[in-house]
């Protein structure tokens, strides 16, 4: 155990987050997401798991991971099939976690199958214990400035 770090961030997760570079993508996925199969195509090549609700995992990750402020798709959410403008509660909770970092932009919506392709291009996938549908988001790593 270390001081100042959220205890749900295990050594493998911290190592992965630290190894990521500016612009690399991290997928946080619900329990229904094909996370194991898609994670094999990622840079990390194997799945990480944190058996907690999506928003809890997002808050923990965002406590150490800066978001990219150079691109519009700094964060993305999987769109609801046939209702792309609807933002489910589970995604709104992640948006609130993002807002708590000082970020004012909304996550961009990504069609379901396009989101799967995004996951294949990611640095890593963390499958959460989230059981609500559409609990899938992407976070793009930003930079830590010299004064931070």
């Amino acid at each position: 155990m270390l001081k100042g770090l959220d205890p749900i961030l295990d050594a493998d997760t911290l190592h992965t987050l630290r190894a990521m570079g500016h612009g690399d993508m991290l997928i946080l996925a619900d329990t229904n997401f094909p996370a194991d199969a898609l994670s094999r195509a990622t840079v990390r090549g194997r799945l990480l798991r944190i058996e907690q609700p999506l928003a809890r995992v997002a808050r923990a990750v965002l406590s150490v991971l800066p978001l990219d402020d150079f691109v519009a798709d700094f964060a993305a959410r999987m769109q609801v099939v046939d209702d792309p403008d609807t933002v489910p509660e589970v995604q709104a909770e992640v948006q609130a976690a993002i807002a708590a970092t000082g970020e004012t932009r909304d996550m961009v919506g990504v069609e379901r199958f396009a989101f799967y392709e995004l996951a294949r291009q990611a640095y890593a996938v963390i499958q959460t214990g989230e059981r609500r549908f559409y609990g899938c988001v992407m976070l793009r790593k930003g930079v830590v400035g010299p004064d931070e």
Side-chain angles (χ1 to χ4, degrees):
M1 186 64 75
L2 298 171
K3 291 171 50 173
L5 291 174
D6 192 303
I8 70 169
L9 298 175
D10 63 19
D12 285 341
T13 302
L14 288 169
H15 178 268
T16 299
L17 297 175
R18 174 61 179 92
M20 291 173 64
H22 182 211
D24 283 338
M25 294 180 290
L26 176 70
I27 302 296
L28 303 181
D30 63 29
T31 59
N32 293 302
F33 191 76
D36 188 61
L38 293 178
S39 69
R40 294 174 195 199
T42 66
V43 173
R44 187 172 196 293
R46 63 186 175 96
L47 183 62
L48 293 164
R49 291 184 193 272
I50 301 177
E51 294 296 328
Q52 296 286 328
L54 178 64
R56 173 76 177 90
V57 175
R59 284 191 303 273
V61 167
L62 290 168
S63 74
V64 296
L65 185 85
L67 291 172
D68 195 334
D69 58 2
F70 291 107
V71 294
D73 65 342
F74 71 102
R77 60 178 186 80
M78 181 188 286
Q79 292 175 336
V80 175
V81 174
D82 297 328
D83 195 4
D85 295 328
T86 292
V87 178
E89 181 181 6
V90 64
Q91 294 177 358
E93 292 170 2
V94 174
Q95 186 66 58
I98 290 170
T101 71
E103 177 59 63
T104 59
R105 297 175 290 169
D106 291 335
M107 290 186 285
V108 299
V110 177
E111 185 273 332
R112 175 182 167 209
F113 292 104
F115 193 92
Y116 292 161
E117 280 305 311
L118 198 66
R120 285 184 182 91
Q121 299 168 28
Y123 191 92
V125 175
I126 298 175
Q127 187 165 43
T128 70
E130 184 60 63
R131 293 182 58 198
R132 291 176 289 176
F133 298 145
Y134 297 99
C136 302
V137 300
M138 179 277 290
L139 303 174
R140 190 179 296 275
K141 188 175 182 181
V143 298
V144 176
D147 297 328
E148 294 178 63

